[in-house]
Amino acid sequence: MNRYTLAQLLPGTTESFTTTITEEKMRGFCEATGDVSPIHMQDAAAQKRGHTGRVVYGMLCAGLFSTLAGVYLPGESCLLHSVQAKFAKPVYIGDMLTVTGTVKEVHEAFGTVVIKAHITNQHGEKVTRGTITAGVHHDG
């Protein structure tokens, strides 16, 4: 787990991590949220809408921005203020996702950073884009 302080965060600071979307992650998200939409639960329902299989929850992918901020950038000293996400392409079970964030702004007076983030799949396609605003302890 990283532990950037506000003073260590400069525009351009970048971190990333990779994860694979599994059946277990889908099941856990379903259990946590109660979202049983057929496009997420049934291959046939997803295929009827033109997909190759069940579509991964967009919010499961957006939730990876929480991991990015809370573990990698800035890490332990982070408190999320907001996350904005845009879903560019569908994600499927088995996709390997790389989550990357880059500090764009540092607001020392407010103790916050703005991080531009994106998620790409194993084909290099951007599947999710986001903007994260996080509070950061001055001393870490």
Side-chain angles (χ1 to χ4, degrees), residues 102-120:
T102 301
V103 174
K104 291 297 178 189
E105 301 172 21
V106 178
H107 301 280
E108 290 189 36
F110 299 110
T112 61
V113 294
V114 176
I115 299 164
K116 289 291 186 183
H118 64 271
I119 301 172
T120 55

Side-chain angles (χ1 to χ4, degrees), residues 76-112:
E76 187 177 340
S77 62
C78 170
L79 178 63
L80 283 179
H81 290 199
S82 68
V83 175
Q84 296 175 321
K86 295 185 181 186
F87 309 110
K89 290 186 175 282
V91 173
Y92 301 101
I93 297 169
D95 280 355
M96 186 172 60
L97 304 179
T98 300
V99 183
T100 303
T102 301
V103 174
K104 291 297 178 189
E105 301 172 21
V106 178
H107 301 280
E108 290 189 36
F110 299 110
T112 61

Side-chain angles (χ1 to χ4, degrees), residues 11-134:
T13 303
T14 301
E15 293 284 349
S16 67
F17 70 96
T18 301
T19 188
T20 299
I21 299 298
T22 63
E23 176 66 41
E24 292 170 341
K25 290 176 183 176
M26 286 287 286
R27 190 172 27 258
F29 190 90
C30 179
E31 290 174 8
T33 64
D35 185 346
V36 294
S37 173
I39 198 168
H40 303 303
M41 304 299 292
Q42 303 166 5
D43 282 326
Q47 289 167 350
K48 192 186 286 188
R49 294 183 59 184
H51 298 282
T52 57
R54 295 166 45 203
V55 176
V56 172
Y57 298 98
M59 293 306 292
L60 173 57
C61 295
L64 296 172
F65 290 148
S66 178
T67 304
L68 176 68
V71 178
Y72 296 94
L73 185 67
E76 187 177 340
S77 62
C78 170
L79 178 63
L80 283 179
H81 290 199
S82 68
V83 175
Q84 296 175 321
K86 295 185 181 186
F87 309 110
K89 290 186 175 282
V91 173
Y92 301 101
I93 297 169
D95 280 355
M96 186 172 60
L97 304 179
T98 300
V99 183
T100 303
T102 301
V103 174
K104 291 297 178 189
E105 301 172 21
V106 178
H107 301 280
E108 290 189 36
F110 299 110
T112 61
V113 294
V114 176
I115 299 164
K116 289 291 186 183
H118 64 271
I119 301 172
T120 55
N121 64 18
Q122 66 274 15
H123 307 294
E125 301 168 319
K126 280 188 183 175
V127 296
T128 309
R129 295 184 313 272
T131 302
I132 302 164
T133 302

Side-chain angles (χ1 to χ4, degrees), residues 1-13:
M1 177 176 293
N2 291 334
R3 190 183 173 115
Y4 285 98
T5 64
L6 192 63
Q8 293 170 322
L9 292 167
L10 303 171
T13 303

